Amino acid sequence: MLKKSVIVAALAAVFAMPAASAKETRELAEIREQIRQMKEAYEARLAALESRLAQAQAQAAAAQTEAKAASATAQQADTNAAAAQNAATQPAAPAVAAAPAQSNSNAFNPDISAILGGSFQRLKQDPEQYRVQGMLPPGGETGPGAKGFNLGESEITLRANIDPMFSGQLTFALTPENEAEVEEAFIQTRDLGGGFNVKAGRFLSAIGYLNSQHSHTWDFADAPLAYQVFLGGQFKSDGVQAKWLAPLDQFVELGVELGNGANFPGTPRNRNGANSAAAFARIGDDIGESASYRVGVSLLRTHAEQRGWEEDGLAHAFSGKTNTLIADAIYKWAPNGNPTATNFKLQGEYFRSKDSGNLEYDTARPGGPLGRAYSSAYTGIQSGWYAQGVYQFMPNWRTGLRYDRLTAGARHIGLVDDGTLTADSFAVLQPYSPRKTSIMFDYSPSEFSRLRLQFAQEKSRPGVTDNQVILQYIMSLGTHAAHAF
């Protein structure tokens, strides 16, 4: 019986083993499935986290790039605020040294730029004998310059935003005589509200059209005769300027300036207050899609004390006030407002100057033969104008024509009227109408460089014609503010 029980138990164990093995297999399979599901869920979660991390990094980089671009754009826009207010919606022709995109690495440092210029001049007449007949001799930078190779005037400019309220600029001029002078050094407000802004320091006056522009932006190698005779090249002063840009669709700008008036046609004066005053008004607008214009009028009043010159070995001087009226007009055209390939600019300015005061003859002599000084009242009214057109006939290439003319006008010299001196005692003041014709061709490989060839015929004194050939280069280094309209 016992034996039978053992056999039955053995048989039961044998038949139970497949069932246990099957159960174990199912449990292992379930465990493996759970592990697989956990692994897949982990990998999916990890992938999702990595994707979110990548997106966050990309968004942060994009935001940083946008912030850098916005900061650079805002700083450049503020730096160019004065030029932008003078610019109409019509794009101007490409100018040498237009500003490239600004780097954020320079956001907290001044923008530094340099202008390198030079020329070769072939002149028929001796520049040492240069004079403009019929006009009181001007001071400042006048005449054609020296023969042969000339370094020209170079400039170094530093500009930056000072804080949310002010920006500043400093420009050094390096002359061919190895002298350095402060061309401009001023601060200006960034936005006082209502279209008002103020500038203080030393700056090129905003009168006329060309006066406020640095010479490297001019379309010809030299200043028109009217600028040389009536402003000594360019008028600048130490003082303050206030401008108002009207909140209108049309460009309307008004401004006033007060200064020390130490430069021609004024002279340094040892007195308090403003020795020069200026006012200007301008309007401008578009003419369709392809053209725009700007017209303006300016008035400058200066005072001079012993503003002298030498003639025929004698020294003479003028003391008194000078009122200079300037009217300017500029028209620009470019197909559909795009000046890249073709554009045309027509500009002109008219000057009328009145000197009222005292004229001294031979200042080294204490008095005339009658025991009185060689001094008397003087009044002179002179005028002048220029007109020029510049045509870009293909990308990078331009040609231009300019005509200048001056008129001696009417004058009264007491020493001559009362018979003390003869009419030709002041030879330079003998009536004459100086004139000059200039034609130029220039090539700009980029916005940073320009090569120019200019031919001119000048008749600034009777019986003398000066044929001039000028080859000029202008190169820009670093960032430079945008130019005015």
Side-chain angles (χ1 to χ4, degrees):
M1 184 70 179
L2 179 59
K3 185 177 179 180
K4 183 176 180 180
S5 299
V6 171
I7 294 173
V8 172
L11 291 173
V14 170
F15 286 106
M17 287 179 61
S21 177
K23 181 178 180 181
E24 181 181 355
T25 301
R26 287 195 300 271
E27 290 179 352
L28 291 174
E30 290 176 357
I31 292 172
R32 290 192 183 96
E33 179 64 19
Q34 291 176 3
I35 292 173
R36 185 187 65 79
Q37 292 177 358
M38 292 176 62
K39 183 177 180 181
E40 289 181 354
Y42 172 76
E43 291 176 348
R45 179 63 175 169
L46 182 61
L49 290 174
E50 290 176 345
S51 177
R52 289 177 58 187
L53 177 61
Q55 292 177 0
Q57 290 175 337
Q59 291 174 354
Q64 187 176 9
T65 301
E66 292 177 0
K68 290 179 180 180
S71 175
T73 301
Q75 183 179 8
Q76 187 64 37
D78 289 329
T79 303
N80 300 339
Q85 289 178 355
N86 288 333
T89 55
Q90 165 68 27
V96 176
Q102 207 170 32
S103 170
N104 190 63
S105 63
N106 200 41
F108 299 101
N109 296 317
D111 291 335
I112 301 176
S113 64
I115 301 297
L116 303 179
S119 65
F120 173 81
Q121 299 192 142
R122 185 182 184 278
L123 310 175
K124 182 179 180 180
Q125 303 297 328
D126 182 1
E128 296 294 331
Q129 305 298 320
Y130 181 82
R131 72 179 185 186
V132 180
Q133 182 75 22
M135 311 287 165
L136 282 178
E141 299 175 2
T142 60
K147 293 182 177 181
F149 291 98
N150 295 277
L151 178 60
E153 183 175 277
S154 299
E155 295 180 358
I156 299 177
T157 298
L158 295 82
R159 64 171 57 83
N161 293 329
I162 299 171
D163 55 31
M165 188 172 182
F166 295 102
S167 62
Q169 177 177 317
L170 173 61
T171 299
F172 293 101
L174 308 177
T175 68
E177 294 77 23
N178 298 322
E179 297 176 349
E181 61 181 28
V182 178
E183 181 82 2
E184 293 189 288
F186 60 83
I187 60 170
Q188 62 183 6
T189 59
R190 296 175 61 184
D191 185 11
L192 290 181
F196 286 95
N197 274 300
V198 175
K199 178 187 293 186
R202 177 176 298 177
F203 51 85
L204 294 171
S205 174
I207 58 173
Y209 179 65
L210 283 181
N211 192 80
S212 61
Q213 302 178 25
H214 288 251
S215 59
H216 67 269
T217 68
W218 295 348
D219 294 318
F220 289 81
D222 52 1
L225 286 179
Y227 268 90
Q228 297 187 44
V229 167
F230 298 121
L231 299 179
Q234 284 179 288
F235 180 73
K236 59 186 175 184
S237 183
D238 297 356
V240 61
Q241 176 195 88
K243 280 186 180 181
W244 177 63
L245 183 65
L248 303 172
D249 293 335
Q250 186 183 38
F251 173 75
V252 177
E253 183 182 62
L254 305 176
V256 294
E257 298 173 353
L258 296 174
N260 63 358
N263 293 313
F264 185 89
T267 60
R269 303 176 71 200
N270 185 21
R271 55 167 292 177
N272 295 318
N275 297 314
S276 67
F280 51 88
R282 305 184 180 98
I283 62 172
D285 205 350
D286 292 335
I287 305 174
E289 295 183 354
S290 300
S292 60
Y293 76 93
R294 201 199 81 174
V295 296
V297 61
S298 308
L299 178 63
L300 171 66
R301 180 167 184 164
T302 58
H303 295 267
E305 290 182 354
Q306 295 294 300
R307 191 180 77 202
W309 78 94
E310 291 187 2
E311 181 181 12
D312 298 330
L314 300 177
H316 315 307
F318 166 77
S319 298
K321 64 181 180 181
T322 301
N323 293 324
T324 306
L325 175 69
I326 308 173
D328 63 84
I330 302 93
Y331 169 84
K332 291 186 177 182
W333 171 86
N336 300 315
N338 181 7
T340 304
T342 304
N343 62 77
F344 174 73
K345 179 170 68 172
L346 178 65
Q347 74 183 60
E349 296 185 71
Y350 170 80
F351 289 70
R352 184 181 186 273
S353 177
K354 181 178 180 180
D355 294 308
S356 302
N358 190 68
L359 192 63
E360 296 186 19
Y361 176 85
D362 191 7
T363 57
R365 181 180 299 189
L370 301 180
R372 62 184 180 183
Y374 281 113
S375 176
S376 69
Y378 170 80
T379 301
I381 300 177
Q382 290 79 45
S383 62
W385 58 274
Y386 78 91
Q388 68 180 53
V390 177
Y391 177 56
Q392 180 175 305
F393 53 90
M394 62 184 296
N396 309 111
W397 288 91
R398 305 188 310 163
T399 184
L401 176 66
R402 185 180 74 194
Y403 181 75
D404 303 34
R405 191 173 184 88
L406 304 175
T407 302
R411 58 170 46 91
H412 298 283
I413 305 174
L415 290 169
V416 175
D417 295 342
D418 64 15
T420 303
L421 299 176
T422 61
D424 60 354
S425 296
F426 297 93
V428 73
L429 297 182
Q430 297 308 302
Y432 183 65
S433 295
R435 54 198 181 275
K436 182 177 182 179
T437 302
S438 306
I439 183 172
M440 74 84 182
F441 301 89
D442 65 31
Y443 169 64
S444 301
S446 72
E447 64 269 33
F448 303 104
S449 61
R450 175 164 291 168
L451 303 175
R452 175 180 289 132
L453 177 62
Q454 179 172 311
F455 304 93
Q457 185 180 80
E458 182 173 345
K459 298 180 179 181
S460 58
R461 46 194 164 131
V464 178
T465 299
D466 191 11
N467 295 318
Q468 306 168 356
V469 180
I470 302 174
L471 180 61
Q472 181 187 34
Y473 68 84
I474 304 172
M475 305 290 164
S476 173
L477 289 73
T479 60
H480 200 84
H483 298 140
F485 174 82

